Amino acid sequence: MVKICSSEQLLDRGLAYRFMLGERAAIALRYDGVVYGYLNQCAHIPIELDFNPGDVFDLSRQYLICSTHGAYYDPTNGLCLGGPCVGRRLTSLPVKEENGAVWLIEENIA
Ligand code: FES
């Protein structure tokens, strides 16, 4: 496992923590107490979701939103619920929270 950040760095529905997975940008975030990880890459056009670093939640704090064309995603599974790529998904990353930190479970990455 590789440490991404400390648990306290992820506030619920707050800024995502940006990190690199090799050459790919990724994010970790917390929603309703649970930590999730995704590649930071919109399912519409493969560019980063956030214009302001880590700012991936919409105004309602219920969805992740792409700052470019407004696709919005279910934070729990990455499914696009509206916008130009509805029905597609963010690429989910295997993460877990343990011992006060958020970890990437490397061996589970395809
Ligand atoms: S690039 Fe994200 S909605 Fe178009």
Side-chain angles (χ1 to χ4, degrees), residues 42 44-45 47 66 68-71 84:
C42 186
H44 176 217
I45 296 170
I47 56 178
C66 176
T68 301
H69 305 118

Side-chain angles (χ1 to χ4, degrees), residues 4-5 10 15-19 26-30 35-38 95 102:
I4 298 173
C5 63
L10 291 185
L15 289 180
Y17 186 86
R18 292 166 53 99
F19 64 101
I27 50 173
L29 56 99
R30 186 186 302 280
V35 168
Y36 299 92
Y38 296 102
V95 297
V102 177

